[in-house]
Amino acid sequence: FLLMGIPGLEQAHGWLAIPLCSMYIVAVLGNCTILFVIRAEPSLHQPMYYFLSMLALTDLGLSASTLPTMLSVFLFNSREVNANTCFAQLYFIHTFSVMESDVLLVMAFDRFVAIHKPMRYASILTNATVARIGLAVMARSVLMVMPIPALLQRLRYCLPNVLSHSFCLHQDVMKLACSNRTINSIYGLFVVITTMGLDALLIVLSYVMIMTTVLSIASKDERLKALNTCISHICAVLVFYIPMIGISMIHRFEERASPLVPVLMADVYVLVPPVMNPIVYSVKTKQIRRR
């Protein structure tokens, strides 16, 4: 397959590699800092921060999945990618995307328990429970995405073999097939609905229950304090889901959109959450900021 940079800006790819590399450096340093601080500070050995560590690890995985091909396109103008390499890359990108969605759902549940049952928080979310949740998140992500590369390998591809992005995505590769791709389309839709779609619905439900609990608190200061613990998570949810919804809408109405828009939205989707999450949590979480 041939990867695509940013249409119309091919001559500027070398310069665009500078902000791109800067974003990767910020993402790696930011998430590694979060992991180091949580590991080094005993007071942060709590469920909320364990889940934040899972989010940081997921962001590092997502960054590592897209880095090789994006740098080869923008820095070295090398656009060719082997089919099996492409299938492997899209597997890891989609796995870490599903994993991030799962972790955001778990973090919403954590905030609900902390606000709704503060006296039982430590007994409900024990270290063993957190470990089991982490394993469940990893298993669900890995197993749900696993059939996708195999389904893509069975398809026959025709020219032109040019992808829309500087990395491989399932829906992008699938569009290049000239054999029947109905099974791929159905399974891809099934994965999106049962992972990110269901997670988004449960996150909204969690916040409805959180708001119900918060509104029942008599003290205004206590209500604000409870809501303040959710701000970082709400920002992380918006940073992750808004670009994802944008990509879905653009693919639905792509014939009316500029070819530049889906490329930029996909880049935002894979680059911005790993960069912004550590910044948001460092700014809004007093314990991490102080450390």
Side-chain angles (χ1 to χ4, degrees):
F1 299 109
L2 289 177
L3 299 166
M4 176 70 73
I6 298 180
L9 296 176
E10 287 83 3
Q11 300 301 317
H13 279 178
W15 291 105
L16 291 170
I18 297 172
L20 187 67
C21 290
S22 300
M23 291 183 76
Y24 275 114
I25 291 168
V26 170
V28 172
L29 288 178
N31 286 291
C32 286
T33 301
I34 292 282
L35 291 169
F36 172 76
V37 167
I38 292 172
R39 179 180 172 81
E41 181 56 54
S43 65
L44 299 181
H45 294 176
Q46 301 173 33
M48 173 184 173
Y49 300 106
Y50 291 146
F51 294 136
L52 179 55
S53 296
M54 294 180 198
L55 186 66
L57 286 169
T58 304
D59 283 335
L60 286 171
L62 187 57
S63 296
S65 300
T66 56
L67 177 64
T69 54
M70 289 193 82
L71 288 187
S72 73
V73 170
F74 286 97
L75 204 55
F76 304 111
N77 198 31
S78 175
R79 296 174 56 200
E80 289 187 12
V81 60
N82 177 274
N84 288 329
T85 304
C86 186
F87 298 153
Q89 184 186 44
L90 67 85
Y91 171 76
F92 284 110
I93 290 174
H94 290 301
T95 296
F96 283 116
S97 296
V98 171
M99 204 176 290
E100 180 140 353
S101 177
D102 290 350
V103 172
L104 290 172
L105 171 60
V106 170
M107 294 174 87
F109 173 71
D110 168 77
R111 291 299 81 210
F112 169 70
V113 174
I115 292 170
H116 187 66
K117 296 183 181 294
M119 302 303 292
R120 295 184 57 201
Y121 178 72
S123 62
I124 293 173
L125 289 173
T126 62
N127 287 346
T129 302
V130 170
R132 283 195 291 269
I133 289 172
L135 288 172
V137 164
M138 186 168 66
R140 183 194 189 208
S141 309
V142 168
L143 294 174
M144 287 295 286
V145 183
M146 193 174 284
I148 287 177
L151 289 172
L152 287 172
Q153 280 184 322
R154 55 181 279 278
L155 298 177
R156 187 164 50 86
Y157 298 93
C158 303
L159 296 174
N161 57 348
V162 181
L163 297 170
S164 305
H165 310 293
S166 53
F167 45 86
C168 299
L169 294 174
H170 174 238
Q171 61 269 34
D172 200 22
V173 173
M174 183 180 66
K175 285 193 297 186
L176 300 182
C178 47
S179 53
N180 192 307
R181 59 193 188 205
T182 305
I183 296 174
N184 296 68
S185 298
I186 293 171
Y187 187 74
L189 183 63
F190 169 76
V191 170
V192 170
I193 291 172
T194 56
T195 55
M196 297 174 183
L198 182 60
D199 291 347
L201 184 64
L202 293 174
I203 288 170
V204 170
L205 183 61
S206 296
Y207 273 101
V208 168
M209 293 189 291
I210 285 170
M211 288 303 299
T212 303
T213 303
V214 167
L215 292 174
S216 67
I217 299 172
S219 168
K220 181 182 177 181
D221 290 340
E222 288 297 315
R223 287 201 298 268
L224 292 174
K225 185 179 177 181
L227 285 175
N228 195 49
T229 64
C230 300
I231 290 175
S232 299
H233 179 255
I234 292 171
C235 291
V237 169
L238 294 176
V239 164
F240 178 76
Y241 277 102
I242 287 176
M244 189 187 74
I245 293 168
I247 290 172
S248 301
M249 295 299 292
I250 287 165
H251 277 290
R252 174 67 180 83
F253 303 106
E254 62 183 339
E255 66 277 0
R256 304 178 197 175
S258 162
L260 194 62
V261 177
V263 174
L264 292 176
M265 285 299 294
D267 289 346
V268 167
Y269 173 62
V270 297
L271 287 173
V272 172
V275 172
M276 289 303 299
N277 287 339
I279 294 173
V280 167
Y281 275 94
S282 297
V283 170
K284 296 302 298 179
T285 309
K286 184 169 63 177
Q287 296 91 327
I288 293 177
R289 185 175 69 244
R290 186 180 297 158
R291 178 68 181 182

